[in-house]
Amino acid sequence: MCDACLIESVKSSMLSRRALFTGAAATTAAVMASGLTTAKPALAQASGKVVDLTHAYDGAFPTFDGNPGILYEPAVKFADSGYQLWKLTIFEHTGTHIDAPLHFTEDGTSVADLPPDRLVCPLCIIDIKAKAAENPNAMVEPADIEAYVSANGAIPAGACVAMNSGWAAKVGEPAYRNDPEGKFAFPGFSKAATDMLAGLDVACIGVDTLSLDPGNSADFAVHFSWLPGGRFGIENLAGLDGLPAAGATVFIGAPKHKTGTGGPARVMAVV
């Protein structure tokens, strides 16, 4: 499916699901009111090592729609004024960035209103590099979560669960976004996996690719189910190979512009 057709299909689907989103938001509010989402995350005992999980980016960084995600314009020139600054035009979903609930809901939580205690999380990294090497549209499945728990222990409430597909190494290549035929091709989460994580009160999911859903997704099933539930995602993570599967704490530097559907974030892990 062409990019434009896919985007139009998503718009139609989003409009048809307004009632669903409204119900999901009400359900989330009821759950929060009941105190079921207030469990304090079990944070790591840090040794002092800090790992940056954020890509440095400019207008050449790959984006979902293929357009530059940031534009620079000189606002003050050093030669003229003795100091310098840029005027930036930034599209929210570019570089390492957050998808807030409002991204796929009409009236969900904006990036400015994400609870601070959900932005400092135990980090659980699920490695699917072997699967992704064979299938560029590989997904984190429930079996991968079960294998992670078997090897590393339970995923704590309030955690950030990140997929490490090895895709961050491709960020300067066309293969980060597309297959040789020009179709979207990159790993992501399956809806079955994120449904399982929602039941564990996971705060957010993260991917080292362009989207929470795999590249060949035709329906954005993860976006449509995960975000309206009041949770958020992080896309285009870097540096996951520098961390253990369990034991790190992630600090998510979310932007705080009102009514934001997301935005570029500085994401750091301490272990």
Side-chain angles (χ1 to χ4, degrees):
M1 183 183 292
C2 69
D3 292 2
C5 297
L6 180 58
I7 291 170
E8 286 304 313
S9 174
V10 170
K11 286 180 179 177
S12 297
S13 181
M14 288 174 71
L15 289 173
S16 69
R17 299 193 186 195
R18 280 183 179 172
L20 172 63
F21 294 156
T22 302
T27 300
T28 301
V31 170
M32 292 181 70
S34 71
L36 295 179
T37 61
T38 59
K40 184 177 180 180
L43 303 181
Q45 297 298 313
S47 66
K49 179 183 178 182
V50 179
V51 177
D52 193 348
L53 303 183
T54 316
H55 287 286
Y57 75 104
D58 58 17
F61 193 90
T63 59
F64 193 85
D65 63 10
N67 296 318
I70 183 170
L71 303 173
Y72 295 77
E73 179 183 340
V76 179
K77 297 182 179 180
F78 190 88
D80 297 334
S81 304
Y83 71 101
Q84 56 190 337
L85 61 90
W86 297 100
K87 175 184 175 181
L88 300 180
T89 301
I90 298 175
F91 295 87
E92 290 177 312
H93 298 269
T94 186
T96 302
H97 68 271
I98 288 175
D99 281 8
L102 190 58
H103 185 35
F104 268 67
T105 63
E106 187 176 23
D107 56 1
T109 303
S110 79
V111 71
D113 296 321
L114 293 174
D117 62 358
R118 301 297 252 186
L119 299 175
V120 180
C121 314
L123 179 61
C124 304
I125 301 174
I126 298 180
D127 190 318
I128 64 162
K129 291 196 292 288
K131 288 203 302 185
E134 297 181 357
N135 175 14
N137 292 297
M139 294 185 288
V140 176
E141 300 281 7
D144 299 304
I145 298 171
E146 292 166 358
Y148 175 91
V149 170
S150 178
N152 300 284
I155 294 173
C160 174
V161 176
M163 172 192 78
N164 184 3
S165 68
W167 231 247
K170 301 175 184 282
V171 76
E173 307 169 11
Y176 187 76
R177 183 175 185 269
N178 297 327
D179 64 17
E181 297 178 355
K183 297 177 181 177
F184 286 134
F186 43 78
F189 279 84
S190 72
K191 182 179 180 297
T194 54
D195 286 349
M196 177 182 288
L197 295 175
L200 298 175
D201 191 26
V202 165
C204 67
I205 56 173
V207 295
D208 56 350
T209 61
L210 277 171
S211 177
L212 306 177
D213 289 277
N216 64 352
S217 172
D219 58 8
F220 289 102
V222 171
H223 280 83
F224 274 122
S225 58
W226 183 258
L227 299 178
R231 295 167 289 269
F232 67 97
I234 311 170
E235 295 172 336
N236 298 313
L237 285 169
L240 293 171
D241 279 335
L243 292 167
T249 296
V250 65
F251 295 80
I252 304 160
K256 207 171 181 181
H257 57 294
K258 294 181 179 181
T259 72
T261 71
R266 190 70 181 264
V267 183
M268 312 283 244
V270 177
V271 66

